[in-house]
Amino acid sequence: MSKPTFYITTPIYYPSGKAHIGHGYTTVACDAVSRYKRMCGYDVLFLTGTDEHGQKIELKAAEAGVTPKQYVDEVVAGFKDLWQLLNISYDRFIRTTDDYHEQSVQRIFEELYNKGEIYLGKYEGLYCTPCEAFWTESQLVDGKCPDCGREVKPASEEAYFFRLSKYADKLLALYEDNPEFIQPESRKNEMISFIKSGLNDLCVSRTSFKWGIPVTFDPKHVVYVWLDALTNYITALGFKNDKYDDYDKYWPADVHFIGKEIVRFHTIIWPAILMALDLPLPKRVYGHGWLLIGDSKMSKSKGNVVDPVILCDRYGVDAIRYFLLREIPFGSDGNFTNEALISRINSDLANDLGNLVSRTTAMSQKYFGDNLPDIREAEPIDDELINLAVSVKKTVEENLDNFQFSNALAEIWKLISRSNKYIDETMPWVLAKDESKKARLATVIYNLAECLRIAAVLITPFMPVTSPKIFEQLGVGDESLKTWESAGTFGLLPTNAALKKGETIFPRIDLAKELEYLEEEKNKAAAPEAKKDPLEGIAQIGIDDFAKVELRVAKVTACEPIPKAKKLLKLTLDDGYGTRTVASGIAKWYKPEDLIGHSVIVVANLKPAVLCGVESQGMILAADCGEDVKVVFVDGMTPGSKVR
Ligand code: MSP
């Protein structure tokens, strides 16, 4: 009989900058569910990937002086490295720049257009001419373009629209009939209010940037972000492409995990697109909370991101995975602090779990050598421990099936704490002194080892590196004792189990010292780097070489932006001998009126070059510290004067 399937997805992340622990949060959660479901016998497809198109990436690439594809290739490689480091067992990684995805999106767009679900209209917005960008009222900063600070004016652009507004009632009915569709519950109410306040049709194409998937029948348009992004969940299965043949097998998805800020896109736009395509809807969309630093969301744009590579190197991957899933109830926001992380490592991992492993294995070796003897003597006090051990699996499952990772771990830790208490109650070191208590002592250690085996099975989805270490110290080689199913039965460990103390699985951290160390590291990272003189390693030039450069005073007689290049200004100069044009990358710092009428210094004998369609005949001198640029003005000097 074929296995039941389970399809789970992360959002596809924007590769506009390095992956951070916030991205890791969703991905680790998906990974834990995937591992759990696989252990329960499901045929799991775990999809993740990257959302690579759009104006933001186009601009980032231009700033870095590379093509958008070169830019995303490098960032995406970093995402994949991080997933490897965090032990993410994804089955498929989709990039929206993959050919098969692009082809499917074009076909989906055509189908929606042919069905009348997409129509050509006008996108109205506030336009910044030099930046060639539309903004909404709320995006403006002090009423001006958030990028360059200049005036914006109302404008409209031809665009295709998806008839989202007509789905309002169907969406409300969907939530009503499927109470599980949006989770947690509180997010559902937000969506209902949003729909009731009125849905607009959705702009699904743009002509003002190029980095996107062209609309086949009108290629000056590229598909605008959400239609391209959301459809990844089906294109990755082979919907309207030949790359995969898994659509029938895995769709509809069992769950999409996403952060709360994109619940609207996943529970309004996405189901509406699927309804328009006459396709089944995902079973659940779970919008989890944010990892906060102080009161703000950790995000690239705020520059407050925590680097997961540094954390994993210092504390180990499983400690980080454990912390993320234990500390914050899935669905709520939670603060990331070094204190909280180290406290969790010390109390839950080093004290509770680590100690239980080392005490149990050390006592077994000390009192019985290589193997436990198969003599037994039970006492009533054992029953409570054993009953708890066999019932934990069920409570963990109930919590995991509802994505309550923190509660699931808390349940496992109840067994771990109860086992530690059992050591204090039974006092094996006292039993060891009495030869007649050998059978009782062996029973106590066996019970502890069996509780540890069950705990090790149950933590496997969360901590895939730690559980094999525990199995090894318990002498569990037999794979059938590591299965999810086996966690429901007590007494599977062989009676002559070979326990062996190994390395400490989670060493304790000195909190005060560690915080001091982290503070020093933070200060080091924040300290400005000693400036390296770029003269080092550059050949000196003689006076004859310098004399070859003809510098002269020139007056700016006219100046205007260059429509296709938001960084450049086109200057017309009178250099005393005639008129020349210069394209200069100073648009961020100067407006044309700041320059007209002033005298500048021009490199007059530079070979002309064409920049964004303008022939530039020279360069003007300016001081540049990266963040600020000041043109060298020599007002009052006659045009044509030599600069020596
Ligand atoms: N590309 C879109 C998603 C398209 S899905 C069809 C996008 N990308 S993103 O790079 O901004 O990533 C968003 C996701 O990263 C969030 O939904 C969330 O899952 C995760 N997180 C990013 N920062 C986070 C926190 N500070 N805290 C928790 N999760 C965070 O939106």
Side-chain angles (χ1 to χ4, degrees):
M1 210 177 72
S2 63
K3 291 177 174 181
T5 59
F6 190 83
Y7 181 32
I8 181 168
T9 66
T10 69
I12 46 170
Y13 302 104
Y14 287 132
S16 51
K18 250 173 88 182
H20 58 72
I21 196 79
H23 303 122
Y25 182 56
T26 322
T27 317
V28 164
C30 276
D31 186 63
V33 176
S34 301
R35 288 176 185 270
Y36 159 62
K37 285 289 181 183
R38 286 189 201 110
M39 286 179 84
C40 291
Y42 283 79
D43 172 347
V44 173
L45 184 73
F46 169 12
L47 174 74
T48 189
T50 40
D51 182 3
E52 306 185 6
H53 293 122
Q55 193 169 22
K56 194 163 165 201
I57 302 264
E58 194 174 75
L59 288 173
K60 284 263 181 187
E63 274 165 32
V66 293
T67 65
K69 185 68 167 67
Q70 283 168 333
Y71 183 84
V72 290
D73 280 352
E74 196 177 324
V75 183
V76 171
F79 268 87
K80 287 188 172 172
D81 287 347
L82 179 62
W83 300 155
Q84 195 175 358
L85 176 69
L86 285 171
N87 258 315
I88 304 298
S89 62
Y90 63 81
D91 299 292
R92 203 161 284 174
F93 192 105
I94 185 167
R95 301 181 57 175
T96 54
T97 51
D98 286 336
D99 288 346
Y100 74 92
H101 172 78
E102 298 198 345
Q103 184 196 23
S104 293
V105 169
Q106 289 180 324
R107 291 183 179 170
I108 290 170
F109 200 100
E110 282 166 10
E111 182 179 329
L112 291 172
Y113 181 73
N114 292 337
K115 282 180 153 175
E117 297 283 349
I118 283 180
Y119 62 91
L120 188 61
K122 281 230 175 313
Y123 180 80
E124 312 272 347
L126 296 158
Y127 193 68
C128 172
T129 314
C131 294
E132 293 187 74
F134 272 100
W135 304 105
T136 59
E137 194 77 52
S138 62
Q139 288 171 318
L140 301 183
V141 176
D142 299 330
K144 305 250 168 70
C145 168
D147 258 10
C148 72
R150 280 181 269 215
E151 297 294 333
V152 291
K153 51 178 192 272
S156 65
E157 164 185 306
E158 183 188 275
Y160 286 92
F161 285 83
F162 169 62
R163 294 190 193 280
L164 181 63
S165 57
K166 81 174 206 198
Y167 287 95
D169 290 340
K170 281 193 180 167
L171 290 166
L172 291 172
L174 163 72
Y175 308 158
E176 179 80 29
D177 300 342
N178 300 276
E180 295 236 295
F181 180 69
I182 307 179
Q183 290 184 345
E185 186 74 17
S186 56
R187 312 239 184 268
K188 182 177 4 180
N189 302 331
E190 288 165 28
M191 293 309 115
I192 294 175
S193 322
F194 188 84
I195 294 176
K196 288 192 170 158
S197 69
L199 282 185
N200 293 324
D201 286 350
L202 177 78
C203 174
V204 287
S205 85
R206 298 304 283 271
T207 53
S208 54
F209 65 91
K210 287 275 156 282
W211 181 235
I213 303 173
V215 172
T216 43
F217 52 88
D218 196 354
K220 63 179 181 296
H221 289 258
V222 292
V223 178
Y224 192 46
V225 291
W226 284 98
L227 188 73
D228 173 5
L230 289 161
T231 48
N232 93 87
Y233 300 129
I234 51 176
T235 64
L237 299 178
F239 183 75
K240 291 195 190 285
N241 67 64
D242 299 328
K243 171 86 174 168
Y244 298 108
D245 190 16
D246 290 325
Y247 174 81
D248 290 333
K249 184 169 177 194
Y250 292 105
W251 192 255
D254 290 272
V255 65
H256 295 311
F257 272 7
I258 52 168
K260 65 179 183 180
E261 77 288 3
I262 53 175
V263 169
R264 182 148 59 88
F265 303 97
H266 283 77
T267 60
I268 296 180
I269 299 176
W270 181 221
I273 293 174
L274 290 164
M275 286 172 185
L277 290 167
D278 291 314
L279 297 178
L281 310 181
K283 294 177 199 159
R284 276 179 290 182
V285 175
Y286 199 105
H288 65 70
W290 287 340
L291 280 188
L292 306 172
I293 294 279
D295 287 335
S296 326
K297 179 184 178 221
M298 189 186 299
S299 75
K300 281 174 281 218
S301 52
K302 293 212 178 82
N304 63 353
V305 296
V306 171
D307 187 338
V309 177
I310 298 177
L311 292 180
C312 290
D313 280 353
R314 192 142 183 93
Y315 306 112
V317 177
D318 276 7
I320 304 307
R321 289 174 61 112
Y322 175 81
F323 176 76
L324 291 176
L325 297 177
R326 175 68 181 93
E327 185 72 8
I328 308 157
F330 204 59
S332 314
D333 290 347
N335 244 293
F336 183 96
T337 66
N338 292 324
E339 286 89 332
L341 171 65
I342 297 163
S343 303
R344 279 277 172 209
I345 294 177
N346 279 344
S347 64
D348 301 8
L349 301 181
N351 276 5
D352 297 346
L353 178 60
N355 266 345
L356 181 61
V357 173
S358 57
R359 286 162 96 192
T360 306
T361 51
M363 287 190 297
S364 181
Q365 264 188 307
K366 182 171 173 196
Y367 303 135
F368 297 111
D370 289 345
N371 293 87
L372 279 179
D374 55 8
I375 42 175
R376 294 287 181 268
E377 188 184 319
E379 283 193 8
I381 195 176
D382 303 343
D383 296 345
E384 191 193 322
L385 181 73
I386 295 172
N387 289 341
L388 179 65
V390 289
S391 65
V392 175
K393 174 174 171 275
K394 194 161 163 280
T395 45
V396 170
E397 283 170 358
E398 280 162 9
N399 281 298
L400 272 181
D401 289 337
N402 291 312
F403 313 126
Q404 291 308 304
F405 305 103
S406 182
N407 290 347
L409 284 164
E411 291 297 332
I412 304 170
W413 255 254
K414 277 187 194 160
L415 176 63
I416 292 167
S417 302
R418 186 67 194 84
S419 303
N420 274 320
K421 191 169 161 217
Y422 178 77
I423 298 182
D424 300 338
E425 290 166 347
T426 53
M427 295 190 285
W429 52 93
V430 175
L431 298 174
K433 288 189 187 137
D434 185 343
E435 201 45 39
S436 71
K437 300 279 188 208
K438 277 248 149 167
R440 177 65 194 143
L441 179 60
T443 309
V444 166
I445 292 177
Y446 181 87
N447 289 345
L448 288 168
E450 188 54 353
C451 287
L452 261 176
R453 181 190 66 80
I454 290 172
V457 170
L458 298 176
I459 64 168
T460 307
F462 305 92
M463 296 199 274
V465 177
T466 304
S467 53
K469 288 186 187 165
I470 301 177
F471 287 134
E472 196 183 329
Q473 297 199 30
L474 296 177
V476 178
D478 184 346
E479 292 302 313
S480 70
L481 271 61
K482 302 176 187 172
T483 63
W484 191 261
E485 195 53 38
S486 76
T489 311
F490 195 91
L492 297 180
L493 201 65
T495 42
N496 63 345
L499 277 61
K500 194 158 174 266
K501 187 167 165 19
E503 252 177 65
T504 307
I505 52 172
F506 289 103
R508 237 191 110 72
I509 301 167
D510 182 323
L511 178 65
K513 273 199 194 142
E514 187 68 9
L515 291 178
E516 207 174 296
Y517 164 84
L518 292 171
E519 193 57 26
E520 275 169 24
E521 287 298 300
K522 199 168 108 194
N523 292 341
K524 265 193 232 161
E529 265 182 54
K531 268 197 185 163
K532 195 164 173 266
D533 190 340
L535 274 180
E536 271 174 42
I538 292 186
Q540 290 182 331
I541 56 164
I543 185 85
D544 296 346
D545 283 332
F546 180 67
K548 289 181 194 158
V549 183
E550 168 79 7
L551 296 174
R552 70 169 70 138
V553 174
K555 189 165 185 168
V556 184
T557 53
C559 180
E560 58 188 289
I562 299 176
K564 284 212 173 78
K566 65 181 239 192
K567 291 187 173 176
L568 296 180
L569 287 180
K570 180 176 152 192
L571 289 83
T572 309
L573 304 177
D574 164 12
D575 73 359
Y577 299 89
T579 300
R580 61 170 70 221
T581 304
V582 166
S584 179
I586 53 173
K588 189 166 165 197
W589 297 276
Y590 290 91
K591 298 193 180 106
E593 56 270 30
D594 302 333
L595 298 163
I596 296 170
H598 291 280
S599 292
V600 296
I601 299 173
V602 63
V603 182
N605 59 337
L606 197 69
K607 230 190 225 163
V610 178
L611 300 176
C612 292
V614 173
E615 189 184 70
S616 183
Q617 300 149 334
M619 287 188 344
I620 63 163
L621 297 195
D624 176 0
C625 72
E627 285 143 29
D628 198 10
V629 165
K630 292 253 185 303
V631 170
V632 180
F633 289 120
V634 283
D635 290 346
M637 294 301 292
T638 315
S641 306
K642 234 176 156 12
V643 178
R644 303 172 203 271

PDB file of all heavy atoms in Angstrom, residues 276-288:
ATOM      1  N   ALA A 276      -9.929  30.817  -9.268  1.00  0.00           N
ATOM      2  CA  ALA A 276     -10.045  31.262 -10.663  1.00  0.00           C
ATOM      3  C   ALA A 276      -9.517  30.193 -11.614  1.00  0.00           C
ATOM      4  O   ALA A 276      -9.971  30.084 -12.758  1.00  0.00           O
ATOM      5  CB  ALA A 276      -9.280  32.563 -10.847  1.00  0.00           C
ATOM      6  N   LEU A 277      -8.564  29.403 -11.131  1.00  0.00           N
ATOM      7  CA  LEU A 277      -8.003  28.332 -11.976  1.00  0.00           C
ATOM      8  C   LEU A 277      -8.783  27.022 -11.801  1.00  0.00           C
ATOM      9  O   LEU A 277      -8.407  25.991 -12.379  1.00  0.00           O
ATOM     10  CB  LEU A 277      -6.531  28.086 -11.595  1.00  0.00           C
ATOM     11  CG  LEU A 277      -5.523  29.184 -11.955  1.00  0.00           C
ATOM     12  CD1 LEU A 277      -4.205  28.952 -11.235  1.00  0.00           C
ATOM     13  CD2 LEU A 277      -5.296  29.238 -13.473  1.00  0.00           C
ATOM     14  N   ASP A 278      -9.814  27.050 -10.980  1.00  0.00           N
ATOM     15  CA  ASP A 278     -10.604  25.847 -10.649  1.00  0.00           C
ATOM     16  C   ASP A 278      -9.751  24.750 -10.020  1.00  0.00           C
ATOM     17  O   ASP A 278      -9.869  23.569 -10.377  1.00  0.00           O
ATOM     18  CB  ASP A 278     -11.301  25.271 -11.897  1.00  0.00           C
ATOM     19  CG  ASP A 278     -12.391  26.193 -12.371  1.00  0.00           C
ATOM     20  OD1 ASP A 278     -13.165  26.664 -11.519  1.00  0.00           O
ATOM     21  OD2 ASP A 278     -12.431  26.477 -13.587  1.00  0.00           O
ATOM     22  N   LEU A 279      -8.868  25.138  -9.123  1.00  0.00           N
ATOM     23  CA  LEU A 279      -7.993  24.151  -8.468  1.00  0.00           C
ATOM     24  C   LEU A 279      -8.346  24.048  -6.984  1.00  0.00           C
ATOM     25  O   LEU A 279      -8.857  25.009  -6.388  1.00  0.00           O
ATOM     26  CB  LEU A 279      -6.525  24.576  -8.598  1.00  0.00           C
ATOM     27  CG  LEU A 279      -5.963  24.664 -10.015  1.00  0.00           C
ATOM     28  CD1 LEU A 279      -4.512  25.139  -9.972  1.00  0.00           C
ATOM     29  CD2 LEU A 279      -6.060  23.325 -10.737  1.00  0.00           C
ATOM     30  N   PRO A 280      -8.050  22.892  -6.375  1.00  0.00           N
ATOM     31  CA  PRO A 280      -8.311  22.744  -4.939  1.00  0.00           C
ATOM     32  C   PRO A 280      -7.444  23.703  -4.104  1.00  0.00           C
ATOM     33  O   PRO A 280      -6.363  24.113  -4.552  1.00  0.00           O
ATOM     34  CB  PRO A 280      -7.924  21.294  -4.636  1.00  0.00           C
ATOM     35  CG  PRO A 280      -7.683  20.641  -5.940  1.00  0.00           C
ATOM     36  CD  PRO A 280      -7.479  21.690  -6.975  1.00  0.00           C
ATOM     37  N   LEU A 281      -7.895  24.010  -2.909  1.00  0.00           N
ATOM     38  CA  LEU A 281      -7.194  24.973  -2.049  1.00  0.00           C
ATOM     39  C   LEU A 281      -6.332  24.248  -1.027  1.00  0.00           C
ATOM     40  O   LEU A 281      -6.650  23.123  -0.629  1.00  0.00           O
ATOM     41  CB  LEU A 281      -8.218  25.830  -1.312  1.00  0.00           C
ATOM     42  CG  LEU A 281      -9.293  26.454  -2.195  1.00  0.00           C
ATOM     43  CD1 LEU A 281     -10.229  27.310  -1.360  1.00  0.00           C
ATOM     44  CD2 LEU A 281      -8.658  27.297  -3.296  1.00  0.00           C
ATOM     45  N   PRO A 282      -5.262  24.908  -0.558  1.00  0.00           N
ATOM     46  CA  PRO A 282      -4.449  24.274   0.494  1.00  0.00           C
ATOM     47  C   PRO A 282      -5.319  24.004   1.726  1.00  0.00           C
ATOM     48  O   PRO A 282      -6.298  24.714   1.961  1.00  0.00           O
ATOM     49  CB  PRO A 282      -3.391  25.347   0.811  1.00  0.00           C
ATOM     50  CG  PRO A 282      -3.895  26.609   0.217  1.00  0.00           C
ATOM     51  CD  PRO A 282      -4.806  26.242  -0.908  1.00  0.00           C
ATOM     52  N   LYS A 283      -4.919  22.976   2.511  1.00  0.00           N
ATOM     53  CA  LYS A 283      -5.774  22.622   3.651  1.00  0.00           C
ATOM     54  C   LYS A 283      -5.623  23.615   4.800  1.00  0.00           C
ATOM     55  O   LYS A 283      -6.582  23.935   5.472  1.00  0.00           O
ATOM     56  CB  LYS A 283      -5.422  21.213   4.138  1.00  0.00           C
ATOM     57  CG  LYS A 283      -5.768  20.157   3.090  1.00  0.00           C
ATOM     58  CD  LYS A 283      -5.357  18.769   3.549  1.00  0.00           C
ATOM     59  CE  LYS A 283      -5.284  17.836   2.352  1.00  0.00           C
ATOM     60  NZ  LYS A 283      -4.450  16.670   2.593  1.00  0.00           N
ATOM     61  N   ARG A 284      -4.394  24.069   5.025  1.00  0.00           N
ATOM     62  CA  ARG A 284      -4.180  25.003   6.138  1.00  0.00           C
ATOM     63  C   ARG A 284      -3.100  26.023   5.778  1.00  0.00           C
ATOM     64  O   ARG A 284      -2.130  25.710   5.074  1.00  0.00           O
ATOM     65  CB  ARG A 284      -3.683  24.247   7.380  1.00  0.00           C
ATOM     66  CG  ARG A 284      -4.803  23.642   8.177  1.00  0.00           C
ATOM     67  CD  ARG A 284      -4.294  22.891   9.381  1.00  0.00           C
ATOM     68  NE  ARG A 284      -3.589  21.670   9.009  1.00  0.00           N
ATOM     69  CZ  ARG A 284      -3.076  20.817   9.894  1.00  0.00           C
ATOM     70  NH1 ARG A 284      -3.163  21.052  11.176  1.00  0.00           N
ATOM     71  NH2 ARG A 284      -2.467  19.721   9.490  1.00  0.00           N
ATOM     72  N   VAL A 285      -3.257  27.224   6.317  1.00  0.00           N
ATOM     73  CA  VAL A 285      -2.214  28.250   6.205  1.00  0.00           C
ATOM     74  C   VAL A 285      -1.923  28.680   7.634  1.00  0.00           C
ATOM     75  O   VAL A 285      -2.838  29.110   8.341  1.00  0.00           O
ATOM     76  CB  VAL A 285      -2.709  29.462   5.385  1.00  0.00           C
ATOM     77  CG1 VAL A 285      -1.652  30.559   5.382  1.00  0.00           C
ATOM     78  CG2 VAL A 285      -3.061  29.050   3.957  1.00  0.00           C
ATOM     79  N   TYR A 286      -0.687  28.511   8.063  1.00  0.00           N
ATOM     80  CA  TYR A 286      -0.365  28.848   9.454  1.00  0.00           C
ATOM     81  C   TYR A 286       0.532  30.087   9.482  1.00  0.00           C
ATOM     82  O   TYR A 286       1.651  30.063   8.973  1.00  0.00           O
ATOM     83  CB  TYR A 286       0.351  27.664  10.136  1.00  0.00           C
ATOM     84  CG  TYR A 286       0.287  27.783  11.634  1.00  0.00           C
ATOM     85  CD1 TYR A 286      -0.572  26.985  12.380  1.00  0.00           C
ATOM     86  CD2 TYR A 286       1.051  28.735  12.300  1.00  0.00           C
ATOM     87  CE1 TYR A 286      -0.664  27.121  13.751  1.00  0.00           C
ATOM     88  CE2 TYR A 286       0.962  28.885  13.672  1.00  0.00           C
ATOM     89  CZ  TYR A 286       0.105  28.071  14.398  1.00  0.00           C
ATOM     90  OH  TYR A 286       0.012  28.218  15.761  1.00  0.00           O
ATOM     91  N   GLY A 287       0.027  31.172  10.053  1.00  0.00           N
ATOM     92  CA  GLY A 287       0.801  32.423  10.129  1.00  0.00           C
ATOM     93  C   GLY A 287       1.437  32.556  11.500  1.00  0.00           C
ATOM     94  O   GLY A 287       0.774  32.888  12.476  1.00  0.00           O
ATOM     95  N   HIS A 288       2.732  32.278  11.560  1.00  0.00           N
ATOM     96  CA  HIS A 288       3.396  32.348  12.877  1.00  0.00           C
ATOM     97  C   HIS A 288       3.828  33.782  13.189  1.00  0.00           C
ATOM     98  O   HIS A 288       3.786  34.668  12.328  1.00  0.00           O
ATOM     99  CB  HIS A 288       4.592  31.391  12.923  1.00  0.00           C
ATOM    100  CG  HIS A 288       5.693  31.757  11.963  1.00  0.00           C
ATOM    101  ND1 HIS A 288       6.482  32.861  12.130  1.00  0.00           N
ATOM    102  CD2 HIS A 288       6.108  31.161  10.819  1.00  0.00           C
ATOM    103  CE1 HIS A 288       7.356  32.918  11.138  1.00  0.00           C
ATOM    104  NE2 HIS A 288       7.138  31.914  10.318  1.00  0.00           N
TER     105      HIS A 288
END
